[in-house]
Amino acid sequence: MLKAVSQKSSNSLVFQTLPRHMRRRAMSHNIKRLPRRLQEMARKEAEKAVHQKKEQSKTKCRKARRRHINLVAEFNRRQRKNIWLETHIWHAKRFHMVKKWGYCLGNSPTEKSYRACYRAMTKHCLLQDLSYYCCLELTGKENELLKQLTRICSIDTGLTFQEACCLSGRFEGSLNLYRADRYPEEMLGPVTFIWRPRDGSEHRQLWIWVHPALKQDILRELKAIFQCSEPEEICITEPVTTSIQEEKEMEVVMSPGKKRKKEDKEGEKVVPVKKIIGDGTRDPFQSYSWISQTTGIGISDRSMEILRYRLIGPLSHSVLTETLKAASVQTEMADSETELNNWWVENCKDSEKVSLHQCQSAIFELLEGMSSPSEMPAGTILGLTVGDPRINLPKKKTKAMPDFEKYQDKVRQLYLEGVPLDCAHSFIWDQDICKNVTENKISEQDLNHMRAQLLVPGSHLDLGPCESKIPILLVQQPGKMAGEDRPGWGSGWDIYLPKGWGMAFWIPFIYQGVRVGGLQEALKHSEYQRTPHTPNDFPDCQAGRQFAKELETSLLEQFKRRPPAKRANYVKLGTLSPFICPWGQLTKNWEGRMKASGGFVRPSSSHPECCTTEGHNYCDPKAEVVREASPETGEVEETMEITSSEGALKPEDVTSTHDLGERDETKTSDFIVLRSEKLLMQLSAWCYPTAGKDRRIRLISRLGQKEMTEDVFLPILTSYPRALVWVNLSLLRKGNPELHAMICIPTEDDLLHLSKDKLFCGPQEPKHRDIFKDKVQRQKEEKKKKKKGGMKALEGDPLSVPDKDTTEDHKDLILGLWSDALPDVTSHCSRTVLGYVTRGDFSLAAGCGEALGFVSLTGLIYMLYNQPADKKGLVLLRTPASLQYRFARLNIEV
């Protein structure tokens, strides 16, 4: 006790510990005014204050921090944790920034631009920086590469790496990767790939572009199949570069009249801070290249070494032709001391390469006469070498427009023949050339100085042979290819650049009137194309599961922040899992339903599914008697009735579904996503009505598909008992689908009501009873008792501990959420659940509510088999926080 009293534990100063009548103003700066017993403590406080003041003085004022050299050093420090794109500063001033996948990325513009971005995608051009996508480069013999790459993809899903048009290097390909020899299970994710055009040797070069969330899994699998365990070399990438002109300026002795160079304490000149170019988080002593000792295959991680911009819209090619100009042929060096354009001079001495460059330039100019990029063959590749785009900057922002009459005849020939194979060649494949182009870039300061010396201010700056030459690669994006409506919507061009030239191309694009989008605009772009978005819509791969967990955590935190009276009670609304889609449980429940029923039998009653409701009861009357007889155990018995009502699951099977009912689905074998093009086309044909106003009589025969009989679909269900199918839904009437909305099967009464009343929006789900309300109330009362009796328990019996069972029983109870293991998710409500929505919103393209999601393959075939011919593909949608069902049309686009 004496030791505790002698030590000062408060944050107050020594003179503040004295009683008020003993305090004097001089005590704060004159220690001798204090009592002698406190003077020693006051001296220590004074020394500590002086030390803190010295540390604070080390921080520079804002003016010093904003100096260029200090600003670059600060930016470099902040890039060591999260990678910055070269357009980061531009985005940070205009976008809401988020940290994802190890990058700092622009999420959405700060200005109101939701409709403006859609108009840009539809009528003009939207620009996106996709440099965060990762490039994995594979090099080696063509046969060895294809031998192993065929193991991680399947021809059943579409293209493969050995597709003839892609293998030549003329077109870009896209496919889904799986673990070696594991198709259709254990998916890795979607990728796009480009082969380097053949140069006459067996040695080939391949670029695989992957999303950063999928990079580690795919890279690990590639190293495993090629046996690339040993690093090729320690790849010390230089993330910092400056131009030669800047280095020369540092060496020049300043003349008297100019500012002196900053010097350190020893009098030597300080080394200038260099700006990071590329991946600033890379460890210089870690290898980013691997080679196989057996096959000689090499794998290199070229992420952030190649920049990638995407232009979306019908006039994206006009923006390209207005911004970029083909490089002029150069046969002599501008300066023998520098290496500027030395690679270009050497290649220009070869007449074949000069003629190839002229052919590429002619085709590039023809793009100005096109009406839309979708008119080109899908995935067309065009290589080109261009001049510095900063030279052609307009005086003010303009809107790039096409000129249809200028190249009318030649454009038709381009449509028919496409881009020749030789024109796909580009120098960007050569790492040495890319390094030369990056290091010898003319700085912005030098360009501005040259502009200031022009005789006529604002006139065109002609650099002549000193102008930089940059190799690029243009890749056409086909846009919407599946389905019958809006063909080619969202088409555009991807442009690949060497690192260091990001802002040099970005600003000229901005001056051509493009609108810039972020991650949210990319999400909407894929939503209007009705294509899965990475990693949101890939629940069968590791990145998709991780995304679902993070989304559930954030939604649950938002839910908890609101008081119970101001948030939805999902138990009463009949929503079992409002924050995550239980795909594993859904597919298992449908498999159990089919096994229990013994086949596809049409339900006899109008509401075969049961639910627990307030005022309405579709369950067995005996279930109500059970609840009244035993109110304490009513929750468990009620759950039994829900899961066993249709024979889908027996009461004793409820405990076995506990693992599947958990929120965290970590197993990869629970379900798969069906991606077989042949089967998807068959299902797509079955979804169309074969009678009535919307009938498609000739569709099945035209596509060569079979009629829907048990002999046809039973083998499919045997091969894929737990499979999901990607579907899109369009609401018939009003309504706005939301995330995690339930896709349900309408009953016969619902379809009959709709046929009689065309304005019928849909049925309503009866309100459920909250079976966890009493448990939550008891939990609150127990907490209050613990608080009140806590001190008494410690005084009376300090060893008394509350019962472990009672504390763990109500550990995770939250009012409004289902807290036990999930019951049968298909039959919990009055309408059988078929699947869930992963993305939904009002579509500006369709003018109605549209949704994208997954449904159970077994449930889909069950629904289509039992629906009347004129109502095929009609489903019900219900948002998690609503009781209202809405009619929607289900389609599968292939």
Side-chain angles (χ1 to χ4, degrees):
M1 289 174 65
L2 290 171
K3 186 179 179 182
V5 170
S6 63
Q7 290 179 348
K8 186 173 73 69
S9 59
S10 63
N11 293 326
S12 58
L13 299 174
V14 174
F15 73 89
Q16 291 174 331
T17 59
L18 290 170
R20 292 186 179 275
H21 70 279
M22 291 182 66
R23 296 183 190 180
R24 296 293 182 270
R25 187 183 300 167
M27 288 179 180
S28 60
H29 58 83
N30 190 355
I31 295 174
K32 291 182 179 180
R33 290 283 185 179
L34 283 166
R36 289 184 179 179
R37 61 185 178 85
L38 298 176
Q39 286 183 11
E40 188 63 29
M41 294 175 65
R43 286 191 186 92
K44 292 180 180 179
E45 276 187 357
E47 291 173 1
K48 187 178 179 181
V50 170
H51 182 68
Q52 288 178 352
K53 192 173 182 181
K54 286 182 178 178
E55 287 184 350
Q56 290 176 1
S57 64
K58 290 180 181 177
T59 59
K60 300 173 183 177
C61 63
R62 187 179 187 278
K63 184 177 180 182
R65 292 198 306 269
R66 297 301 295 178
R67 288 196 188 107
H68 179 71
I69 188 170
N70 296 330
L71 206 58
V72 172
E74 176 66 11
F75 289 164
N76 290 348
R77 183 190 64 81
R78 286 158 60 182
Q79 291 184 64
R80 299 295 179 187
K81 191 173 184 181
N82 291 287
I83 302 172
W84 283 11
L85 307 184
E86 291 190 15
T87 57
H88 173 85
I89 301 296
W90 190 95
H91 277 92
K93 295 177 181 179
R94 299 164 179 86
F95 276 68
H96 298 288
M97 305 299 288
V98 293
K99 292 178 181 178
K100 277 189 173 182
W101 314 303
Y103 293 82
C104 283
L105 304 174
N107 191 41
S108 60
T110 52
E111 62 179 355
K112 292 183 179 179
S113 58
Y114 180 82
R115 287 177 179 268
C117 287
Y118 168 74
R119 284 196 300 269
M121 286 187 280
T122 308
K123 297 180 179 179
H124 192 246
C125 183
L126 182 84
L127 176 63
Q128 290 177 325
D129 189 353
L130 299 186
S131 301
Y132 60 91
Y133 267 71
C134 305
C135 178
L136 302 178
E137 183 180 89
L138 274 65
T139 56
K141 292 183 179 180
E142 182 179 316
N143 294 335
E144 294 291 340
L145 286 169
L146 292 176
K147 182 180 177 181
Q148 299 299 331
L149 289 174
T150 51
R151 297 175 58 197
I152 59 175
C153 59
S154 173
I155 197 171
D156 196 26
T157 61
L159 294 176
T160 61
F161 286 103
Q162 55 187 358
E163 189 73 24
C165 60
C166 300
L167 189 59
S168 63
R170 189 180 179 188
F171 296 100
E172 179 192 51
S174 60
L175 48 78
N176 295 307
L177 295 185
Y178 295 82
R179 294 206 181 275
D181 307 321
R182 294 291 298 164
Y183 173 82
E185 299 175 353
E186 298 188 31
M187 189 199 180
L188 294 173
V191 300
T192 59
F193 64 94
I194 301 174
W195 286 95
R196 183 176 184 175
R198 292 185 176 92
D199 55 359
S201 64
E202 294 182 359
H203 193 272
R204 296 298 302 274
Q205 199 170 344
L206 171 67
W207 281 352
I208 300 177
W209 288 87
V210 302
H211 191 276
L214 314 170
K215 173 184 168 182
Q216 293 303 324
D217 291 336
I218 293 176
L219 182 59
R220 196 179 300 114
E221 190 66 20
L222 288 173
K223 287 194 287 186
I225 62 173
F226 288 112
Q227 301 175 359
C228 296
S229 56
E230 297 182 8
E232 181 181 0
E233 58 183 359
I234 295 181
C235 179
I236 304 179
T237 57
E238 297 182 2
V240 291
T241 57
T242 53
S243 63
I244 292 175
Q245 288 82 355
E246 288 179 353
E247 292 176 0
K248 283 184 176 180
E249 287 177 4
M250 297 300 178
E251 297 173 0
V252 174
V253 179
M254 298 297 293
S255 58
K258 295 186 178 180
K259 291 183 179 179
R260 292 175 297 172
K261 286 291 178 183
K262 187 177 178 182
E263 296 180 354
D264 59 8
K265 293 179 181 178
E266 297 178 359
E268 297 178 357
K269 289 183 180 179
V270 176
V271 178
V273 179
K274 298 179 181 180
K275 180 182 176 182
I276 286 181
I277 298 175
D279 186 354
T281 63
R282 285 197 172 191
D283 184 0
F285 300 103
Q286 185 178 349
S287 174
Y288 290 89
S289 297
W290 303 267
I291 192 167
S292 172
Q293 300 296 330
T294 56
T295 60
I297 301 296
I299 301 176
S300 300
D301 181 6
R302 298 199 64 191
S303 303
M304 294 298 294
E305 298 293 308
I306 304 294
L307 308 182
R308 182 178 176 184
Y309 294 159
R310 175 163 292 176
L311 292 94
I312 304 168
L315 300 185
S316 55
H317 53 278
S318 301
V319 173
L320 285 172
T321 53
E322 289 291 332
T323 306
L324 308 177
K325 303 299 177 185
S328 58
V329 178
Q330 181 180 348
T331 56
E332 293 182 0
M333 293 287 294
D335 188 357
S336 58
E337 295 181 1
T338 65
E339 296 182 357
L340 178 66
N341 298 335
N342 62 346
W343 63 273
W344 180 242
V345 172
E346 290 176 5
N347 284 286
C348 286
K349 293 177 181 178
D350 189 346
S351 59
E352 292 183 1
K353 292 183 179 179
V354 171
S355 61
L356 176 61
H357 173 66
Q358 292 172 351
C359 181
Q360 291 175 335
S361 305
I363 291 175
F364 179 69
E365 290 177 0
L366 289 179
L367 298 181
E368 190 178 354
M370 294 174 57
S371 58
S372 173
S374 60
E375 296 175 355
M376 296 283 288
T380 298
I381 297 175
L382 175 63
L384 193 64
T385 304
V386 298
D388 196 331
R390 296 173 293 177
I391 307 300
N392 304 318
L393 271 181
K395 293 181 181 179
K396 60 180 181 179
K397 276 190 179 182
T398 57
K399 199 167 186 178
M401 299 300 291
D403 187 359
F404 299 119
E405 299 178 357
K406 189 174 181 181
Y407 305 101
Q408 191 171 3
D409 297 333
K410 294 182 179 180
V411 167
R412 291 177 185 172
Q413 186 179 357
L414 183 62
Y415 292 157
L416 296 173
E417 299 177 359
V419 177
L421 175 60
D422 294 338
C423 292
H425 175 269
S426 175
F427 293 106
I428 199 172
W429 289 94
D430 194 329
Q431 294 189 27
D432 295 332
I433 292 177
C434 288
K435 186 178 180 181
N436 184 306
V437 171
T438 301
E439 292 178 349
N440 292 285
K441 175 191 171 188
I442 301 175
S443 67
E444 199 73 32
Q445 183 181 6
D446 291 344
L447 272 181
N448 292 333
H449 184 66
M450 294 175 190
R451 288 193 184 104
Q453 292 179 342
L454 290 172
L455 293 176
V456 180
S459 59
H460 179 72
L461 177 63
D462 186 11
L463 296 180
C466 295
E467 182 181 358
S468 299
K469 310 297 188 296
I470 308 104
I472 65 170
L473 201 64
L474 298 174
V475 181
Q476 188 261 4
Q477 298 298 316
K480 190 176 184 298
M481 299 180 69
E484 298 178 356
D485 59 330
R486 307 195 308 275
W489 187 93
S491 60
W493 291 88
D494 280 7
I495 177 170
Y496 297 85
L497 315 167
K499 71 173 182 180
W501 285 88
M503 288 304 295
F505 280 76
W506 187 266
I507 297 300
F509 284 145
I510 300 297
Y511 267 78
Q512 294 300 329
V514 302
R515 186 167 283 273
V516 181
L519 295 178
Q520 289 302 315
E521 285 67 36
L523 192 69
K524 286 297 171 187
H525 177 239
S526 64
E527 186 176 320
Y528 289 148
Q529 288 190 103
R530 298 171 186 161
T531 55
H533 189 71
T534 311
N536 310 26
D537 301 320
F538 289 87
D540 56 338
C541 74
Q542 184 61 35
R545 289 189 290 273
Q546 182 65 28
F547 173 83
K549 290 177 188 177
E550 293 173 359
L551 181 63
E552 182 197 18
T553 304
S554 64
L555 292 176
L556 184 60
E557 288 176 356
Q558 291 178 20
F559 182 81
K560 287 179 179 178
R561 281 199 294 266
R562 305 191 73 179
K566 303 298 179 186
R567 67 192 188 198
N569 188 325
Y570 291 110
V571 179
K572 288 187 176 183
L573 294 169
T575 305
L576 289 173
S577 183
F579 306 136
I580 193 170
C581 301
W583 302 118
Q585 175 110 358
L586 176 74
T587 52
K588 178 166 184 178
N589 290 158
W590 269 108
E591 185 187 23
R593 285 169 71 95
M594 293 304 102
K595 287 180 180 178
S597 61
F600 288 88
V601 183
R602 192 185 300 273
S604 57
S605 61
S606 59
H607 290 282
E609 300 80 4
C610 81
C611 65
T612 310
T613 64
E614 284 184 358
H616 299 78
N617 187 25
Y618 297 105
C619 301
D620 194 328
K622 295 180 181 178
E624 188 67 35
V625 176
V626 172
R627 291 191 207 100
E628 293 178 0
S630 55
E632 294 182 1
T633 59
E635 297 84 11
V636 179
E637 292 168 356
E638 184 178 59
T639 308
M640 302 288 189
E641 291 294 331
I642 290 171
T643 54
S644 62
S645 59
E646 286 193 88
L649 291 173
K650 297 178 181 179
E652 57 268 17
D653 292 337
V654 175
T655 54
S656 65
T657 63
H658 183 275
D659 295 335
L660 288 169
E662 292 294 331
R663 300 284 195 262
D664 298 335
E665 298 183 7
T666 56
K667 295 182 180 179
T668 58
S669 59
D670 283 348
F671 62 92
I672 63 166
V673 175
L674 185 67
R675 295 188 174 90
S676 171
E677 286 192 346
K678 184 180 178 181
L679 295 180
L680 289 175
M681 288 185 70
Q682 180 71 76
L683 291 171
S684 178
W686 288 344
C687 287
Y688 288 108
T690 55
K693 182 182 177 182
D694 299 326
R695 65 184 181 275
R696 303 287 179 91
I697 300 173
R698 300 179 182 176
L699 181 67
I700 295 178
S701 59
R702 188 182 72 207
L703 295 175
Q705 304 299 334
K706 302 175 183 178
E707 295 291 338
M708 192 174 188
T709 60
E710 289 193 11
D711 295 337
V712 177
F713 64 72
L714 282 179
I716 299 175
L717 295 179
T718 306
S719 303
Y720 304 98
R722 295 188 187 180
L724 298 174
V725 183
W726 174 257
V727 297
N728 64 81
L729 306 107
S730 300
L731 291 172
L732 300 186
R733 305 267 172 218
K734 65 179 183 179
N736 193 20
E738 295 178 3
L739 181 68
H740 300 150
M742 288 163 279
I743 306 170
C744 304
I745 301 175
T747 61
E748 290 182 3
D749 289 350
D750 297 335
L751 297 175
L752 188 63
H753 195 169
L754 179 65
S755 60
K756 290 180 179 179
D757 183 9
K758 297 298 181 183
L759 299 178
F760 178 55
C761 292
Q764 273 205 339
E765 173 72 18
K767 203 170 185 180
H768 293 227
R769 186 169 69 85
D770 190 352
I771 60 176
F772 301 102
K773 189 174 182 180
D774 296 335
K775 285 185 178 181
V776 175
Q777 194 66 31
R778 268 185 264 137
Q779 186 180 9
K780 286 184 178 180
E781 291 174 359
E782 286 176 7
K783 286 182 179 179
K784 287 181 181 179
K785 288 178 182 178
K786 286 177 184 176
K787 286 182 179 179
K788 289 182 180 179
M791 293 300 296
K792 293 180 181 179
L794 288 172
E795 291 173 5
D797 187 6
L799 299 175
S800 62
V801 180
D803 189 9
K804 188 177 180 181
D805 296 335
T806 58
T807 54
E808 291 183 355
D809 188 25
H810 310 300
K811 186 170 61 175
D812 294 324
L813 288 181
I814 302 171
L815 186 64
L817 294 180
W818 192 276
S819 302
D820 283 350
L822 295 183
D824 188 345
V825 295
T826 61
S827 59
H828 181 71
C829 301
S830 62
R831 305 298 186 275
T832 307
V833 176
L834 188 64
Y836 296 94
V837 169
T838 57
R839 279 185 289 155
D841 200 357
F842 182 83
S843 173
L844 296 174
C848 65
E850 284 196 344
L852 301 169
F854 292 93
V855 296
S856 168
L857 173 63
T858 309
L860 178 64
I861 294 177
Y862 167 81
M863 181 191 75
L864 296 174
Y865 183 68
N866 291 319
Q867 276 185 334
D870 59 334
K871 302 294 182 185
K872 295 279 186 185
L874 279 182
V875 295
L876 292 171
L877 274 181
R878 181 165 75 90
T879 56
S882 173
L883 294 171
Q884 180 68 50
Y885 288 95
R886 304 272 182 197
F887 279 102
R889 172 75 63 187
L890 182 144
N891 289 315
I892 299 173
E893 294 184 346
V894 187

